[in-house]
Amino acid sequence: HCTRACDTLRVILTTFLEVIRSNTDPWGSCTLGVDVSREERVSKCVECKAWLLRIRTLPENPKIGTNLQQLQNMMVDL
């Protein structure tokens, strides 16, 4: 289960990490007016970022090995 979870997280990070970063950046694209789809996207990205920050702070676990540490290193700039 731990290996499968790490593999899934790796796919999520490689696919969506830049999207999450760009949508949670306070200096990101500011638009005039109401952009409902952007507000929803930002809200979802903020929630994802919160979960990723929780995962990043997990302690080392010998059952998982280096898989989790590699993933935490991918999230260092989050």
Side-chain angles (χ1 to χ4, degrees):
H1 291 78
C2 292
T3 303
R4 180 66 64 189
C6 286
D7 291 342
T8 303
L9 183 58
R10 183 175 290 107
V11 170
I12 291 170
L13 288 174
T14 56
T15 307
F16 296 109
L17 188 58
E18 284 304 315
V19 174
I20 293 169
R21 281 184 185 150
S22 66
N23 282 296
T24 57
D25 182 15
W27 297 103
S29 62
C30 296
T31 59
L32 296 175
V34 177
D35 186 355
V36 175
S37 61
R38 182 174 183 346
E39 290 176 8
E40 291 174 2
R41 188 171 54 251
V42 168
S43 174
K44 291 175 184 178
C45 287
V46 166
E47 184 178 354
C48 288
K49 183 176 180 177
W51 281 105
L52 290 173
L53 290 173
R54 287 181 182 179
I55 292 169
R56 188 177 74 180
T57 59
L58 287 174
E60 291 185 22
N61 187 336
K63 292 181 181 179
I64 299 174
T66 60
N67 287 335
L68 182 60
Q69 185 179 14
Q70 292 170 354
L71 293 171
Q72 288 171 327
N73 289 339
M74 289 176 71
M75 294 183 277
V76 75
D77 293 334
L78 191 59

